[in-house]
Amino acid sequence: RLAEIITRPVAADSALAVQARLHRDAGLEPPDPIAATQEALAALRRAAVTLRSVLGERFPTLVQGEGQRDHLLRRFRETGNAILLGTDSFWEGVDVPGRALRSLVLAKLPFKVPAEPITAARLERIAEQGEDGFSGYLLPHAALKLKQGFGRLIRSAQDVGVVILLDRRVVTKRYGMMLLEGLPPADRVIGPWSQVRSKCEDFFARHGIGAAP
């Protein structure tokens, strides 16, 4: 069964929402791409502090930068109930089949940073040709990356899970529907955290997936 997509454009007072708000702090796309990367990693560390203070050891929190990538992924697979925080680059090529990965939280839409040198050069060439860089390059790339995010979750016909997308632009911007239409077929819920959480619980219960004791 394909993943269920749950979009939540409203903030929520939960550990997951705190994590998302911190992630969005890193998504303001400052002019310096190196600064953007460093701020993203700092946001992950702040999110980890919050999650660990709320969840304790019940759900181990693994963070990009606190160990080698392969080691973190191995622990994530073996633990079965861990939370793994990483930036976009961390997740490229990740393969975690089975129930170790049953929910994917995307803090923001995966748009490229326009100030990043390669992206800036590409946008400049597109502009020189009289075309729009956003609709001709940034938007298609974000659509592909979002679809690939689903691919991280559903690796086989037996995999199930939920995708939680926290970027309100997917429902407030005209291009949001285009991004959603490019995703695999799935149930969709848009609403406050209480409604989203209830749907998540129902979904996991139907598939025999419960919380860790």
Side-chain angles (χ1 to χ4, degrees), residues 43-65:
L44 293 184
R45 291 191 291 269
R46 295 195 299 269
V49 170
T50 300
L51 289 170
R52 286 164 175 162
S53 67
V54 173
L55 301 176
E57 298 181 358
R58 185 185 183 196
F59 298 96
T61 300
L62 310 175
V63 187
Q64 178 182 351

Side-chain angles (χ1 to χ4, degrees), residues 4 6 162 164 189 193-211:
E4 189 164 321
I6 300 175
V162 301
I164 302 177
V189 177
W193 175 243
S194 58
Q195 180 182 355
V196 171
R197 181 177 60 191
S198 177
K199 292 294 184 179
C200 285
E201 292 170 347
D202 292 343
F203 176 82
F204 286 131
R206 290 200 308 271
H207 293 280
I209 301 174

Side-chain angles (χ1 to χ4, degrees), residues 89-158:
S89 61
F90 181 89
W91 290 100
E92 293 180 358
V94 168
D95 185 20
V96 185
R99 293 194 173 184
L101 178 58
R102 49 188 177 267
S103 62
L104 177 66
V105 180
L106 303 176
K108 65 187 187 76
L109 293 171
F111 284 109
K112 280 182 169 291
V113 178
E116 194 275 328
I118 296 178
T119 302
R122 177 72 64 87
L123 292 174
E124 183 177 354
R125 287 197 299 271
I126 292 174
E128 291 173 351
Q129 297 169 0
E131 300 176 2
D132 179 57
F134 179 77
S135 60
Y137 178 61
L138 295 178
L139 187 58
H141 179 270
L144 177 61
K145 293 288 288 186
L146 189 60
K147 188 174 183 178
Q148 289 174 340
F150 266 69
R152 298 288 176 263
L153 182 66
I154 304 300
R155 306 299 288 178
S156 72
Q158 290 73 42

